[in-house]
Amino acid sequence: MSSLGELVRERGPFASVYLDASHNTEDAAKAMELRWRGVREELARQGADEATLEVLAGPAMTPVVGRAGRALIAARGRLLLDRVLPRPPATDTVRWSELPHLLPLASSLQSDVPHVVVLADKVGADLHGYDGQGEVSAEVRGEEHPVHKVRGGGWSHLRMQHSAEENAKRNAARIAEEVDKLVTRLKARLLILGGEVQARAGVKEELSTRCRDVMLEVEGASLADGSDDEAFDDAVRALVTQYQADLDNDVVEEFTAEANRSGGRAVQGLEPVVEALREANVAALLVADPSLGDRTVWSGEDPAQVALREAELRGLGIEHPGERRADEALAIAAAATGAQVLVTDNASLFEGVGALLRY
C-alpha cells in the first residue's frame, strides 16, 4: 500500500473499479464487453465525467489470460492505477467518490507475496519471479554432456564420472547465481524450488544463506515434456497462499497480544485508530467490518489529516476539512503513512477497525 503514496495525493473525484477480468472461456470477450457496459453506466449514473470514463475503457476491455481480476482508478481523465489482481473479486465494485477506494485493493494484494519459483534439472532451470505487480521469467542452461554418471570400470569410466559431477556442480552454481540475483532484485519473501531431486540438492548447496532461509521445496515437479505443470502450479499457489496467511495471522496474533496487555501497542475503535493514523503511529491497520463505509470521518488536503470530528481538524489549523467515507479515508491515511492494511475476518474488532501501533 505504501507504493500508492503518489496516488493518494492526487485530486479527485475518483472512479474506483474492481472487476472480473478473466479470459478463460469461449464467450469471455463478450462477457467482458457486457461487464464494462454495466460498469460505465453505473459510473455515469454516479456522476463520472466522460473523459474519465473514456480513459478507463481501454484497460477495462483488455483481456487477462486465465482467471484474474483488475483494479482501475482514474480521475479527471487520467488513469492513475491499472493493476491485474491474482484472482477475480468476489463481486465487482464500482464507485465514484471524492477519495479513491483502496480497501478492495488491499484485500486482493494480501496474496501478492513477492516470490521466486525455480524448476531445475542437471542441465538448467526455468525461473519465474513475481514482485507483487508483475511477473519476470528467466532461463538458465549449462553444459549438457556429460551430466549423468555412468556405470562400469576402468579409468575412462572414472574420468566420465568425475566430469559428470563437475558439470552438474557448475550448472548448479550457475542456476544458484541467477536465483540469488532474482530473489534480491524482487526482494522475494519466498523461494520455491522444484525439479529433479539431485538437481535441487546441488542448487541448494550453492544458494546464498538469504535464499536458503526463504526456500521451500516441491516434490514431483520436472522440466521434462509431459510433466504435470498444472499440479506444480497448484502446489506453488498453495504455498504462496499459506505463506501470506501465516503472515496475516502473525499480525492478528501480535495485535491480539498487544490489545490484551496493559499499555500495549494496539487500539481499536474509530476514535483511537483515527488519532493514531493522524500521528503516523500505525504499523498495521486492521479492518474487519464491511459496514465501515457507512461511517464517516473528517479529512483535510493532506491524506494523513484525519479526525472523527470537524472541530478537531479546525483546531489543528486545517481550513477546509471534508466529511468522507471511513472505508476510503482510513485506507488512504494508512497508505500515505506507510502502514500495512489488513482486511481480516479473524479479528473481533470494536467498530470493525483496529491498529497495531508503531510505538
Side-chain angles (χ1 to χ4, degrees), residues 21-313:
S22 300
H23 204 266
N24 57 346
T25 61
E26 291 185 2
D27 63 345
K30 183 62 176 178
M32 185 173 294
E33 180 182 347
L34 292 174
R35 187 177 295 114
W36 166 242
R37 187 183 303 170
V39 167
R40 182 188 176 98
E41 290 175 356
E42 177 58 24
L43 283 173
R45 187 191 68 78
Q46 293 182 29
D49 60 277
E50 187 64 26
T52 298
L53 293 175
E54 286 299 319
V55 81
L56 286 169
M61 292 288 291
T62 301
V64 178
V65 177
R67 293 189 73 252
R70 200 170 207 118
L72 300 168
I73 297 178
R76 306 182 318 283
R78 294 174 55 218
L79 185 65
L80 303 175
L81 182 138
D82 175 9
R83 185 167 294 183
V84 174
L85 305 175
R87 62 184 183 277
T91 58
D92 290 351
T93 298
V94 181
R95 184 179 293 185
W96 177 254
S97 54
E98 286 300 313
L99 299 176
H101 186 30
L102 300 183
L103 272 186
L105 183 62
S107 180
S108 297
L109 293 181
Q110 286 171 12
S111 62
D112 279 14
V113 180
H115 61 277
V116 171
V117 181
V118 181
L119 195 55
D121 62 19
K122 290 184 178 180
V123 176
D126 288 345
L127 281 61
H128 298 276
Y130 187 74
D131 64 357
Q133 298 187 33
E135 294 184 8
V136 294
S137 298
E139 184 180 75
V140 182
R141 291 294 176 262
E143 300 176 34
E144 295 192 22
H145 303 287
V147 291
H148 298 286
K149 294 182 181 180
V150 295
R151 294 183 179 181
W155 292 110
S156 63
H157 288 96
L158 289 175
R159 283 195 295 271
M160 285 286 288
Q161 191 169 7
H162 178 71
S163 180
E165 291 174 351
E166 288 300 312
N167 282 354
K169 186 174 179 63
R170 281 195 293 270
N171 291 344
R174 289 176 182 174
I175 295 168
E177 181 181 4
E178 293 304 316
V179 171
D180 283 340
K181 289 179 182 177
L182 192 55
V183 167
T184 300
R185 171 185 163 190
L186 301 183
K187 299 179 182 178
R189 306 285 296 274
L190 185 62
L191 169 62
I192 300 173
L193 179 60
E196 296 177 1
V197 175
Q198 290 182 330
R200 294 202 314 262
V203 172
K204 281 194 296 183
E205 189 174 331
E206 299 291 337
L207 285 172
S208 66
T209 301
R210 180 186 184 281
C211 285
R212 288 197 296 269
D213 286 345
V214 298
M215 188 191 71
L216 295 173
E217 291 187 72
V218 174
E219 300 289 343
S222 171
L223 281 172
D225 290 340
S227 59
D228 193 345
D229 293 341
E230 186 173 345
F232 180 63
D233 289 344
D234 289 344
V236 168
R237 280 193 291 269
L239 286 173
V240 173
T241 299
Q242 185 58 54
Y243 183 88
Q244 183 61 64
D246 290 343
L247 291 179
D248 293 345
N249 287 336
D250 288 345
V251 173
V252 173
E253 288 177 5
E254 184 178 2
F255 172 85
T256 302
E258 292 293 332
N260 292 330
R261 187 171 66 85
S262 177
R265 294 183 301 106
V267 296
Q268 52 185 314
L270 266 178
E271 187 156 10
V273 168
V274 164
E275 182 180 350
L277 283 168
R278 189 171 65 247
E279 295 172 350
N281 187 25
V282 174
L285 174 69
L286 284 71
V287 179
D289 188 352
S291 66
L292 182 63
D294 295 337
R295 303 183 178 94
T296 59
V297 297
W298 290 80
S299 64
E301 292 186 5
D302 184 329
Q305 296 170 339
V306 288
L308 203 56
R309 288 168 285 274
E310 179 183 8
E312 294 178 72
L313 291 183

